[in-house]
PDB file of all heavy atoms in Angstrom:
ATOM      1  N   PRO Q 111      -4.928  -8.283  36.042  1.00 97.00           N
ATOM      2  CA  PRO Q 111      -6.370  -8.068  36.061  1.00 97.00           C
ATOM      3  C   PRO Q 111      -6.782  -7.051  35.005  1.00 97.00           C
ATOM      4  O   PRO Q 111      -6.006  -6.192  34.603  1.00 97.00           O
ATOM      5  CB  PRO Q 111      -6.636  -7.551  37.473  1.00 97.00           C
ATOM      6  CG  PRO Q 111      -5.330  -7.004  37.942  1.00 97.00           C
ATOM      7  CD  PRO Q 111      -4.272  -7.814  37.278  1.00 97.00           C
ATOM      8  N   LEU Q 112      -8.028  -7.175  34.564  1.00 97.00           N
ATOM      9  CA  LEU Q 112      -8.569  -6.217  33.607  1.00 97.00           C
ATOM     10  C   LEU Q 112      -9.072  -4.960  34.324  1.00 97.00           C
ATOM     11  O   LEU Q 112      -9.548  -5.023  35.462  1.00 97.00           O
ATOM     12  CB  LEU Q 112      -9.727  -6.839  32.832  1.00 97.00           C
ATOM     13  CG  LEU Q 112      -9.370  -7.788  31.698  1.00 97.00           C
ATOM     14  CD1 LEU Q 112     -10.598  -8.548  31.231  1.00 97.00           C
ATOM     15  CD2 LEU Q 112      -8.736  -7.021  30.528  1.00 97.00           C
ATOM     16  N   GLY Q 113      -8.953  -3.846  33.641  1.00 96.00           N
ATOM     17  CA  GLY Q 113      -9.515  -2.592  34.115  1.00 96.00           C
ATOM     18  C   GLY Q 113      -9.936  -1.761  32.926  1.00 96.00           C
ATOM     19  O   GLY Q 113      -9.634  -2.087  31.779  1.00 96.00           O
ATOM     20  N   VAL Q 114     -10.643  -0.678  33.185  1.00 96.00           N
ATOM     21  CA  VAL Q 114     -11.074   0.232  32.130  1.00 96.00           C
ATOM     22  C   VAL Q 114     -10.225   1.492  32.214  1.00 96.00           C
ATOM     23  O   VAL Q 114     -10.091   2.088  33.296  1.00 96.00           O
ATOM     24  CB  VAL Q 114     -12.564   0.576  32.262  1.00 96.00           C
ATOM     25  CG1 VAL Q 114     -12.986   1.549  31.167  1.00 96.00           C
ATOM     26  CG2 VAL Q 114     -13.404  -0.694  32.206  1.00 96.00           C
ATOM     27  N   ALA Q 115      -9.664   1.906  31.108  1.00 95.00           N
ATOM     28  CA  ALA Q 115      -8.793   3.076  31.085  1.00 95.00           C
ATOM     29  C   ALA Q 115      -9.524   4.305  31.612  1.00 95.00           C
ATOM     30  O   ALA Q 115     -10.646   4.609  31.186  1.00 95.00           O
ATOM     31  CB  ALA Q 115      -8.303   3.328  29.661  1.00 95.00           C
ATOM     32  N   GLY Q 116      -8.901   4.997  32.561  1.00 89.00           N
ATOM     33  CA  GLY Q 116      -9.453   6.230  33.108  1.00 89.00           C
ATOM     34  C   GLY Q 116     -10.448   6.056  34.222  1.00 89.00           C
ATOM     35  O   GLY Q 116     -10.954   7.056  34.743  1.00 89.00           O
ATOM     36  N   ARG Q 117     -10.741   4.811  34.616  1.00 89.00           N
ATOM     37  CA  ARG Q 117     -11.790   4.607  35.628  1.00 89.00           C
ATOM     38  C   ARG Q 117     -11.285   4.038  36.950  1.00 89.00           C
ATOM     39  O   ARG Q 117     -12.013   4.052  37.939  1.00 89.00           O
ATOM     40  CB  ARG Q 117     -12.875   3.684  35.085  1.00 89.00           C
ATOM     41  CG  ARG Q 117     -13.623   4.248  33.894  1.00 89.00           C
ATOM     42  CD  ARG Q 117     -14.735   3.333  33.475  1.00 89.00           C
ATOM     43  NE  ARG Q 117     -15.340   3.768  32.208  1.00 89.00           N
ATOM     44  CZ  ARG Q 117     -16.255   3.080  31.534  1.00 89.00           C
ATOM     45  NH1 ARG Q 117     -16.689   1.911  32.032  1.00 89.00           N
ATOM     46  NH2 ARG Q 117     -16.737   3.537  30.400  1.00 89.00           N
ATOM     47  N   GLU Q 118     -10.060   3.504  36.969  1.00 84.00           N
ATOM     48  CA  GLU Q 118      -9.607   2.867  38.194  1.00 84.00           C
ATOM     49  C   GLU Q 118      -8.092   2.876  38.243  1.00 84.00           C
ATOM     50  O   GLU Q 118      -7.430   3.300  37.287  1.00 84.00           O
ATOM     51  CB  GLU Q 118     -10.131   1.432  38.271  1.00 84.00           C
ATOM     52  CG  GLU Q 118      -9.862   0.610  37.009  1.00 84.00           C
ATOM     53  CD  GLU Q 118     -10.881  -0.498  36.856  1.00 84.00           C
ATOM     54  OE1 GLU Q 118     -11.089  -1.227  37.827  1.00 84.00           O
ATOM     55  OE2 GLU Q 118     -11.458  -0.620  35.765  1.00 84.00           O
ATOM     56  N   ASP Q 119      -7.543   2.416  39.338  1.00 92.00           N
ATOM     57  CA  ASP Q 119      -6.093   2.359  39.502  1.00 92.00           C
ATOM     58  C   ASP Q 119      -5.501   1.495  38.399  1.00 92.00           C
ATOM     59  O   ASP Q 119      -5.838   0.319  38.270  1.00 92.00           O
ATOM     60  CB  ASP Q 119      -5.781   1.754  40.876  1.00 92.00           C
ATOM     61  CG  ASP Q 119      -4.281   1.685  41.139  1.00 92.00           C
ATOM     62  OD1 ASP Q 119      -3.508   2.189  40.298  1.00 92.00           O
ATOM     63  OD2 ASP Q 119      -3.906   1.106  42.172  1.00 92.00           O
ATOM     64  N   PRO Q 120      -4.610   2.063  37.566  1.00 95.00           N
ATOM     65  CA  PRO Q 120      -4.097   1.304  36.438  1.00 95.00           C
ATOM     66  C   PRO Q 120      -2.986   0.332  36.791  1.00 95.00           C
ATOM     67  O   PRO Q 120      -2.650  -0.541  35.977  1.00 95.00           O
ATOM     68  CB  PRO Q 120      -3.564   2.407  35.512  1.00 95.00           C
ATOM     69  CG  PRO Q 120      -3.149   3.496  36.438  1.00 95.00           C
ATOM     70  CD  PRO Q 120      -4.141   3.458  37.578  1.00 95.00           C
ATOM     71  N   ALA Q 121      -2.391   0.447  37.949  1.00 96.00           N
ATOM     72  CA  ALA Q 121      -1.187  -0.312  38.274  1.00 96.00           C
ATOM     73  C   ALA Q 121      -1.417  -1.810  38.129  1.00 96.00           C
ATOM     74  O   ALA Q 121      -2.350  -2.377  38.713  1.00 96.00           O
ATOM     75  CB  ALA Q 121      -0.733   0.018  39.689  1.00 96.00           C
ATOM     76  N   GLY Q 122      -0.565  -2.456  37.338  1.00 97.00           N
ATOM     77  CA  GLY Q 122      -0.597  -3.902  37.185  1.00 97.00           C
ATOM     78  C   GLY Q 122      -1.712  -4.423  36.307  1.00 97.00           C
ATOM     79  O   GLY Q 122      -1.877  -5.640  36.166  1.00 97.00           O
ATOM     80  N   ARG Q 123      -2.513  -3.553  35.671  1.00 97.00           N
ATOM     81  CA  ARG Q 123      -3.681  -3.979  34.907  1.00 97.00           C
ATOM     82  C   ARG Q 123      -3.458  -3.860  33.392  1.00 97.00           C
ATOM     83  O   ARG Q 123      -2.727  -2.998  32.909  1.00 97.00           O
ATOM     84  CB  ARG Q 123      -4.906  -3.134  35.275  1.00 97.00           C
ATOM     85  CG  ARG Q 123      -5.379  -3.262  36.702  1.00 97.00           C
ATOM     86  CD  ARG Q 123      -6.593  -2.377  36.939  1.00 97.00           C
ATOM     87  NE  ARG Q 123      -7.035  -2.410  38.316  1.00 97.00           N
ATOM     88  CZ  ARG Q 123      -7.911  -3.295  38.799  1.00 97.00           C
ATOM     89  NH1 ARG Q 123      -8.438  -4.204  37.989  1.00 97.00           N
ATOM     90  NH2 ARG Q 123      -8.270  -3.261  40.071  1.00 97.00           N
ATOM     91  N   TRP Q 124      -4.154  -4.731  32.690  1.00 98.00           N
ATOM     92  CA  TRP Q 124      -4.410  -4.508  31.269  1.00 98.00           C
ATOM     93  C   TRP Q 124      -5.641  -3.614  31.187  1.00 98.00           C
ATOM     94  O   TRP Q 124      -6.718  -3.975  31.682  1.00 98.00           O
ATOM     95  CB  TRP Q 124      -4.671  -5.821  30.541  1.00 98.00           C
ATOM     96  CG  TRP Q 124      -3.432  -6.606  30.212  1.00 98.00           C
ATOM     97  CD1 TRP Q 124      -2.895  -7.627  30.931  1.00 98.00           C
ATOM     98  CD2 TRP Q 124      -2.609  -6.433  29.062  1.00 98.00           C
ATOM     99  NE1 TRP Q 124      -1.773  -8.107  30.315  1.00 98.00           N
ATOM    100  CE2 TRP Q 124      -1.566  -7.402  29.151  1.00 98.00           C
ATOM    101  CE3 TRP Q 124      -2.631  -5.569  27.965  1.00 98.00           C
ATOM    102  CZ2 TRP Q 124      -0.570  -7.521  28.187  1.00 98.00           C
ATOM    103  CZ3 TRP Q 124      -1.640  -5.695  27.005  1.00 98.00           C
ATOM    104  CH2 TRP Q 124      -0.624  -6.644  27.112  1.00 98.00           C
ATOM    105  N   LEU Q 125      -5.501  -2.445  30.588  1.00 97.00           N
ATOM    106  CA  LEU Q 125      -6.579  -1.471  30.559  1.00 97.00           C
ATOM    107  C   LEU Q 125      -7.314  -1.526  29.226  1.00 97.00           C
ATOM    108  O   LEU Q 125      -6.708  -1.366  28.147  1.00 97.00           O
ATOM    109  CB  LEU Q 125      -6.021  -0.067  30.762  1.00 97.00           C
ATOM    110  CG  LEU Q 125      -5.329   0.184  32.114  1.00 97.00           C
ATOM    111  CD1 LEU Q 125      -4.722   1.583  32.126  1.00 97.00           C
ATOM    112  CD2 LEU Q 125      -6.306   0.002  33.275  1.00 97.00           C
ATOM    113  N   VAL Q 126      -8.610  -1.727  29.276  1.00 97.00           N
ATOM    114  CA  VAL Q 126      -9.449  -1.730  28.086  1.00 97.00           C
ATOM    115  C   VAL Q 126      -9.839  -0.284  27.779  1.00 97.00           C
ATOM    116  O   VAL Q 126     -10.379   0.421  28.633  1.00 97.00           O
ATOM    117  CB  VAL Q 126     -10.714  -2.585  28.277  1.00 97.00           C
ATOM    118  CG1 VAL Q 126     -11.459  -2.728  26.953  1.00 97.00           C
ATOM    119  CG2 VAL Q 126     -10.361  -3.954  28.844  1.00 97.00           C
ATOM    120  N   VAL Q 127      -9.530   0.167  26.566  1.00 97.00           N
ATOM    121  CA  VAL Q 127      -9.846   1.528  26.144  1.00 97.00           C
ATOM    122  C   VAL Q 127     -11.231   1.525  25.502  1.00 97.00           C
ATOM    123  O   VAL Q 127     -11.447   0.826  24.498  1.00 97.00           O
ATOM    124  CB  VAL Q 127      -8.800   2.050  25.139  1.00 97.00           C
ATOM    125  CG1 VAL Q 127      -9.144   3.470  24.699  1.00 97.00           C
ATOM    126  CG2 VAL Q 127      -7.401   1.976  25.746  1.00 97.00           C
ATOM    127  N   PRO Q 128     -12.205   2.240  26.056  1.00 95.00           N
ATOM    128  CA  PRO Q 128     -13.551   2.243  25.466  1.00 95.00           C
ATOM    129  C   PRO Q 128     -13.519   2.703  24.012  1.00 95.00           C
ATOM    130  O   PRO Q 128     -12.708   3.561  23.632  1.00 95.00           O
ATOM    131  CB  PRO Q 128     -14.320   3.237  26.348  1.00 95.00           C
ATOM    132  CG  PRO Q 128     -13.593   3.217  27.659  1.00 95.00           C
ATOM    133  CD  PRO Q 128     -12.150   3.033  27.306  1.00 95.00           C
ATOM    134  N   ALA Q 129     -14.382   2.137  23.207  1.00 93.00           N
ATOM    135  CA  ALA Q 129     -14.464   2.515  21.795  1.00 93.00           C
ATOM    136  C   ALA Q 129     -14.732   4.004  21.682  1.00 93.00           C
ATOM    137  O   ALA Q 129     -15.550   4.570  22.426  1.00 93.00           O
ATOM    138  CB  ALA Q 129     -15.562   1.722  21.099  1.00 93.00           C
ATOM    139  N   GLY Q 130     -14.056   4.666  20.759  1.00 90.00           N
ATOM    140  CA  GLY Q 130     -14.217   6.096  20.564  1.00 90.00           C
ATOM    141  C   GLY Q 130     -13.243   6.931  21.358  1.00 90.00           C
ATOM    142  O   GLY Q 130     -13.144   8.145  21.134  1.00 90.00           O
ATOM    143  N   THR Q 131     -12.513   6.330  22.291  1.00 93.00           N
ATOM    144  CA  THR Q 131     -11.502   7.047  23.057  1.00 93.00           C
ATOM    145  C   THR Q 131     -10.197   7.015  22.286  1.00 93.00           C
ATOM    146  O   THR Q 131      -9.744   5.954  21.859  1.00 93.00           O
ATOM    147  CB  THR Q 131     -11.300   6.407  24.442  1.00 93.00           C
ATOM    148  OG1 THR Q 131     -12.534   6.437  25.160  1.00 93.00           O
ATOM    149  CG2 THR Q 131     -10.240   7.152  25.240  1.00 93.00           C
ATOM    150  N   SER Q 132      -9.580   8.167  22.095  1.00 91.00           N
ATOM    151  CA  SER Q 132      -8.338   8.224  21.335  1.00 91.00           C
ATOM    152  C   SER Q 132      -7.188   7.652  22.146  1.00 91.00           C
ATOM    153  O   SER Q 132      -7.231   7.588  23.383  1.00 91.00           O
ATOM    154  CB  SER Q 132      -8.018   9.668  20.947  1.00 91.00           C
ATOM    155  OG  SER Q 132      -7.645  10.423  22.095  1.00 91.00           O
ATOM    156  N   LEU Q 133      -6.143   7.274  21.458  1.00 91.00           N
ATOM    157  CA  LEU Q 133      -4.944   6.782  22.136  1.00 91.00           C
ATOM    158  C   LEU Q 133      -4.351   7.872  23.014  1.00 91.00           C
ATOM    159  O   LEU Q 133      -3.885   7.601  24.132  1.00 91.00           O
ATOM    160  CB  LEU Q 133      -3.930   6.307  21.094  1.00 91.00           C
ATOM    161  CG  LEU Q 133      -2.622   5.711  21.619  1.00 91.00           C
ATOM    162  CD1 LEU Q 133      -2.884   4.520  22.531  1.00 91.00           C
ATOM    163  CD2 LEU Q 133      -1.722   5.296  20.458  1.00 91.00           C
ATOM    164  N   PHE Q 134      -4.384   9.110  22.533  1.00 91.00           N
ATOM    165  CA  PHE Q 134      -3.871  10.227  23.333  1.00 91.00           C
ATOM    166  C   PHE Q 134      -4.607  10.319  24.665  1.00 91.00           C
ATOM    167  O   PHE Q 134      -3.993  10.464  25.730  1.00 91.00           O
ATOM    168  CB  PHE Q 134      -4.035  11.534  22.549  1.00 91.00           C
ATOM    169  CG  PHE Q 134      -3.608  12.766  23.297  1.00 91.00           C
ATOM    170  CD1 PHE Q 134      -2.275  13.120  23.363  1.00 91.00           C
ATOM    171  CD2 PHE Q 134      -4.559  13.564  23.939  1.00 91.00           C
ATOM    172  CE1 PHE Q 134      -1.880  14.266  24.067  1.00 91.00           C
ATOM    173  CE2 PHE Q 134      -4.165  14.688  24.636  1.00 91.00           C
ATOM    174  CZ  PHE Q 134      -2.823  15.050  24.705  1.00 91.00           C
ATOM    175  N   ASP Q 135      -5.932  10.228  24.628  1.00 91.00           N
ATOM    176  CA  ASP Q 135      -6.710  10.300  25.863  1.00 91.00           C
ATOM    177  C   ASP Q 135      -6.485   9.073  26.741  1.00 91.00           C
ATOM    178  O   ASP Q 135      -6.486   9.172  27.967  1.00 91.00           O
ATOM    179  CB  ASP Q 135      -8.191  10.446  25.543  1.00 91.00           C
ATOM    180  CG  ASP Q 135      -8.535  11.808  24.967  1.00 91.00           C
ATOM    181  OD1 ASP Q 135      -7.802  12.772  25.246  1.00 91.00           O
ATOM    182  OD2 ASP Q 135      -9.529  11.899  24.220  1.00 91.00           O
ATOM    183  N   ALA Q 136      -6.287   7.916  26.105  1.00 91.00           N
ATOM    184  CA  ALA Q 136      -6.090   6.685  26.876  1.00 91.00           C
ATOM    185  C   ALA Q 136      -4.802   6.724  27.690  1.00 91.00           C
ATOM    186  O   ALA Q 136      -4.704   6.106  28.748  1.00 91.00           O
ATOM    187  CB  ALA Q 136      -6.073   5.487  25.936  1.00 91.00           C
ATOM    188  N   TYR Q 137      -3.807   7.479  27.224  1.00 92.00           N
ATOM    189  CA  TYR Q 137      -2.523   7.551  27.919  1.00 92.00           C
ATOM    190  C   TYR Q 137      -2.582   8.398  29.192  1.00 92.00           C
ATOM    191  O   TYR Q 137      -1.622   8.417  29.974  1.00 92.00           O
ATOM    192  CB  TYR Q 137      -1.470   8.175  27.000  1.00 92.00           C
ATOM    193  CG  TYR Q 137      -0.825   7.236  26.014  1.00 92.00           C
ATOM    194  CD1 TYR Q 137      -0.533   7.667  24.720  1.00 92.00           C
ATOM    195  CD2 TYR Q 137      -0.481   5.933  26.365  1.00 92.00           C
ATOM    196  CE1 TYR Q 137       0.082   6.830  23.800  1.00 92.00           C
ATOM    197  CE2 TYR Q 137       0.121   5.075  25.454  1.00 92.00           C
ATOM    198  CZ  TYR Q 137       0.402   5.530  24.175  1.00 92.00           C
ATOM    199  OH  TYR Q 137       1.007   4.698  23.284  1.00 92.00           O
ATOM    200  N   ARG Q 138      -3.663   9.113  29.447  1.00 90.00           N
ATOM    201  CA  ARG Q 138      -3.671  10.112  30.515  1.00 90.00           C
ATOM    202  C   ARG Q 138      -3.396   9.523  31.894  1.00 90.00           C
ATOM    203  O   ARG Q 138      -2.723  10.138  32.719  1.00 90.00           O
ATOM    204  CB  ARG Q 138      -5.029  10.832  30.532  1.00 90.00           C
ATOM    205  CG  ARG Q 138      -5.197  11.808  29.380  1.00 90.00           C
ATOM    206  CD  ARG Q 138      -6.546  12.493  29.437  1.00 90.00           C
ATOM    207  NE  ARG Q 138      -6.704  13.460  28.348  1.00 90.00           N
ATOM    208  CZ  ARG Q 138      -7.816  14.109  28.086  1.00 90.00           C
ATOM    209  NH1 ARG Q 138      -8.895  13.910  28.862  1.00 90.00           N
ATOM    210  NH2 ARG Q 138      -7.881  14.966  27.083  1.00 90.00           N
TER     211      ARG Q 138
END
Side-chain angles (χ1 to χ4, degrees):
L112 281 168
V114 179
R117 296 184 188 173
E118 51 206 310
D119 181 5
R123 296 180 183 271
W124 281 96
L125 297 175
V126 188
V127 180
T131 300
S132 70
L133 182 58
F134 177 81
D135 289 334
Y137 278 141
R138 286 180 179 174

